[in-house]
Structure formats: structure tokens, C-alpha cells
Amino acid sequence: MLMAIDDHNRYIGAHQVQATMASYFCPACRQALILKRGEYKVAHFAHRDLSACDQAFSEGESSTHLAGKLALYQLFKKPGKIQLEPVLTAIDQRPDLLWQHPQKGMIAIEYQCSPISTKRLAERNQGYQSQDISVYWILGPAYYHKSLRPQTIQRFMQAGILSFYLPSDNYIRCQSNWLKADFQRLKYCEKKVSGLGKESFTNPVINLNANYQRQKLQQLMLQKRVDSALIDYLYQQRRRLDQVPDWVLLGTTFGLKVPNWHFRLVIWLLLAPFQDQTVLTVASLVKRLQPYFILRPEQVFPAVKAVLLELQKGGYIGLSDGRIKVFHLPAWLD
């Protein structure tokens, strides 16, 4: 841990300590601490008897974590008041930073460098929510330097943005606007920012070729890696999966449990019965498509709406007052 209480009951940071012979105590359990610092290690405190403290989760932190949250403390000093490792006794939690922002209120900043379970993450978020404290998760180098799964991105992103901090930087790296085309790596837009504000992101460039995508889908079929029930259903409709419209193969929606071609094929099949009718609503379509997403419900609507706007732009459907009018859908191959 980086913060302790001295003999005069004052908070003091390990980086501020001058007299190494003074006594220091844990802010949570009030047990004695020892100061550790060396030529290569970040100065920090550690318990003499770890078993006596309920806040033991702060022990054993890596040098990257210690250096990172100390650097974030310096980065967020203005505007507002910020505390390093404050103890929130009401919820038995100790955020890395607690920021009293003049406009946004209390914000807990968690610098996450190691893996954390979904359950533990939810518990910490719920704890802050119970105290009307917003929380920002900033991920460390271990997360930044690996290809994150969509499920991991979804867990940590806030307002559509995923934030990273590397101790070697003096800025935060923000990622947003993820696009996931079938048979391609995940793409996104990244910006370097000096704080946590509202940033605007452009969409990354992604090039798709329907013929190439169709060939890859045919390979999956030959390898029997496509749900046979879907193939059988299409056969009963006198259709073949390898003859889907080009439009089905050109999706880039992020946050799906299934490939984009599968998702867009489902949309085509759901819209097909409503040719020249306007009884289908956007809300009902979103509800039908919810199970295909790993995203939270409030994130699904804009994702589906983006696909519908694409169909509208192509002249396939019309959108008015939350209702969908199907004119003619993209054609299948002969």
C-alpha cells in the first residue's frame, strides 16, 4: 500500500516519508506497518502481521501497480481534490484513488493490473454505487499488451470507452468504436488523453470483400463448423447458406455471441415475413435479437439500430416512428 497513518494520526504517502525510524500504521486496521523501498522498487508500506487486517487485498501489489496508481494520483490532482488509497469503512473497500470532482461528484478510480473475477468486479461496483460513488476502471499493461476478448472489453468499458495506463506514459490511452468483421482481427480507434472526459472517436477503417467472406464461410461448412440445424432450416426454405446475400457477409457489429454473418442472417429472416407491411417495430426486433449479444441491454438498441440504418440507406427498408417498413431485402445468389 502507498498510504499510512503516522504517530500524529495524519495520512502520509510512502513516497513522502523522510524519517525511516518513525512509526506508521494501517488506515484500516491500525496495525503497525513497515516501510519498504529500494533502488528499483516503488516505496510502499506492508503489514508486519498481514492476518490482522481485513484490507489485505492491497498487499502483494506489483511494482507496476504501485507505480501506476501513484502516477495517476499526480495526473488527476487537478481539478478537484483527490485521495490516494482512502478507506471506505461503510463498504469495506479501498479504491486506488478517490476523486472529488467539482462537477461530477465522487469518483473512485481503480487501476486494474491483474485478473479479477466477474463476481468480484460486480461486488466492487455495487459497493461504490451504494455510496453514490461513480467508478472508473483503468487497465494496466498486462491488459493493454494482449488481444482482449469482447467479454473482457464489455466488463470494463464505460460510456463506450476502455481506458488504459502504462507507467511509462504520462497520459491515458482510450479505445472505442470497436468493429469485428468475421475472419478478421478486432479493430478500434485509440486516443491519448490527459484525463477522463468525453472524447470523440472516429470509426476505424475496415475493408471487406464479399467473395472472400463467402469462401471462408464455405470452408467452415466443409469443416462442419456451422450449426447443422441452421443449414437444415434454410434447406427447408429452399435456400443454401453459401448463397446468402452479400449484405449478410459484410457485418462489423461488435459484442455478438455469434458471427456477424449469423447475426445478419437472423435479421434478414426476421424481416422477410413483413414485406410491404409496417407492423414490425424496432423495439420488438431488438427484443428478439437481445440473446445474440454479450452487451448490456442498453447497449443492444444502438447496435441493432446501426444495422437498420444501413438497410435504410441501401433502400431496403424504411424507418418511421419506431416502425419498420420492408421494401425489398438484399437478394440471395442464384
Side-chain angles (χ1 to χ4, degrees), residues 183-196:
F183 317 113
Q184 291 195 23
R185 294 173 64 91
L186 185 67
K187 293 194 175 183
Y188 51 84
C189 178
E190 179 172 306
K191 277 190 172 184
K192 298 174 182 178
V193 301
S194 58
L196 296 177

Side-chain angles (χ1 to χ4, degrees), residues 183 209-219 241-246 249 333:
F183 317 113
N209 180 283
N211 290 331
Y212 173 80
Q213 300 293 98
R214 194 180 304 278
Q215 290 173 8
K216 300 296 287 186
L217 178 56
Q218 289 170 339
Q219 289 178 14
L241 182 58
D242 58 350
Q243 295 178 339
V244 293
D246 285 354
L249 300 168
L333 301 189

Side-chain angles (χ1 to χ4, degrees), residues 303-324:
V304 174
K305 187 68 177 294
V307 178
L308 293 178
L309 289 174
E310 181 186 335
L311 285 170
Q312 182 187 44
K313 186 177 180 181
Y316 300 111
I317 66 170
L319 295 172
S320 178
D321 297 327
R323 293 182 175 274
I324 305 170

Side-chain angles (χ1 to χ4, degrees), residues 11 51 85 92 138 153 178 244 253 264 274 283 304 332:
Y11 273 89
S51 63
E85 293 182 340
D92 196 26
I138 301 177
I153 295 173
W178 295 272
V244 293
T253 301
R264 289 161 81 92
F274 296 94
V304 174
W332 291 61

Side-chain angles (χ1 to χ4, degrees), residues 247 253 262-273 280 285 289 303-304 307-308 311 329:
W247 175 82
T253 301
H262 189 155
F263 174 65
R264 289 161 81 92
L265 175 57
V266 169
I267 292 179
W268 194 100
L269 294 171
L270 289 174
L271 293 178
L280 180 65
L285 183 64
L289 296 172
V304 174
V307 178
L308 293 178
L311 285 170
L329 291 175

Side-chain angles (χ1 to χ4, degrees), residues 80-140:
K81 177 184 177 182
I82 192 163
Q83 302 175 65
L84 185 62
E85 293 182 340
V87 177
L88 305 179
T89 55
I91 55 175
D92 196 26
Q93 290 182 206
R94 181 188 294 175
D96 291 325
L97 302 170
L98 188 63
W99 190 13
Q100 188 172 346
H101 195 279
Q103 285 84 40
K104 301 178 181 178
M106 299 299 291
I107 302 173
I109 298 176
E110 292 281 13
Y111 184 49
Q112 192 65 33
C113 293
S114 59
I116 182 173
S117 69
T118 301
K119 180 181 178 182
R120 182 60 181 155
L121 181 68
E123 288 173 349
R124 294 191 67 76
N125 286 336
Q126 290 167 7
Y128 293 129
Q129 185 178 8
S130 70
Q131 302 299 304
D132 292 324
I133 298 174
S134 302
V135 57
Y136 282 102
W137 291 88
I138 301 177
L139 304 181

